[in-house]
Amino acid sequence: MQLKLFITDFDGVIYNFDKDNIQDGLYCGIKDKDPILHNNIKDFLFGQNRHIFYAWMRGWVNHNDLHYLMARKFNTTIEFLDKELFSSIEQFSLNWELLNSIKSYRDKGIQTYMLTDNLTPFTEILVPYFKLSDFFDKIYSSSDYHILKSDNNGEWIENIIRENNFLPQETLFIDDGEENIKNAKDKGINTYLYNFDTRFHLDEWIYRNNLV
């Protein structure tokens, strides 16, 4: 069946596709200015308090809440943390080759969506800064919808496809997470596991499988 809907992840696909995870990018400018503060922030968000990071991804807290807590805890200022967070996001290196491929599919009349487990600054700062709306018809971020892709065995992607009047078999979902890929595949959605080994073969795979 011909492809009508193209859905892609962000972290690990559009961003950070050759790194481990988003921890490398956030607040990266603090590392040289104040290594101790940088380590404290990473430990606060990704260490023993990792539940805070997941609450941030679900939109239960936002960066204003966290910067208030961190400023008090680490003797710094909310303004400094805001500046460093926004600056680090603007330094993200995106996968422009894939974005341009996605735009070419959009130009063919295929709807393009982004579905990402992401933090509150994603919609507020990152999307407008990189003009991602030029590449995607709709962008779904977990912090806006208070749900993660893996919740209830991938219920979110199933709902998005249905609510937008598409069928699973005419949808392609790209993600770097094996659990997300399995959940989508179990629902009859075409899937592509995107990683260091497969990233250069996506277009070829799409045409070989007669999706376009």
Side-chain angles (χ1 to χ4, degrees), residues 119-162:
L119 311 172
T120 51
F122 179 81
T123 302
E124 179 183 344
I125 305 298
L126 190 147
V127 169
Y129 182 79
F130 288 106
K131 299 185 168 98
L132 292 182
S133 295
D134 290 348
F135 300 89
F136 296 97
D137 295 291
K138 294 186 179 182
I139 298 175
Y140 295 87
S141 175
S142 61
S143 56
D144 295 328
Y145 291 86
H146 313 295
I147 186 173
L148 300 182
K149 285 181 289 184
S150 60
D151 286 355
N152 299 318
N153 298 315
E155 177 184 56
W156 192 17
I157 186 171
E158 187 175 38
N159 290 342
I160 287 171
I161 292 170
R162 184 178 61 252

Side-chain angles (χ1 to χ4, degrees), residues 80-143:
F80 175 75
L81 294 172
D82 284 347
K83 178 183 176 183
E84 291 299 325
L85 174 62
F86 300 159
S87 175
S88 68
I89 290 172
E90 292 171 357
Q91 293 178 55
F92 280 8
S93 178
L94 302 193
N95 186 349
W96 292 106
E97 182 178 356
L98 178 57
L99 282 169
N100 287 327
S101 288
I102 290 170
K103 190 174 187 303
S104 73
Y105 294 127
R106 190 184 190 196
D107 291 342
K108 295 179 190 298
I110 297 169
Q111 289 280 293
T112 56
Y113 293 1
M114 181 182 289
L115 176 61
T116 175
D117 291 341
N118 228 300
L119 311 172
T120 51
F122 179 81
T123 302
E124 179 183 344
I125 305 298
L126 190 147
V127 169
Y129 182 79
F130 288 106
K131 299 185 168 98
L132 292 182
S133 295
D134 290 348
F135 300 89
F136 296 97
D137 295 291
K138 294 186 179 182
I139 298 175
Y140 295 87
S141 175
S142 61
S143 56

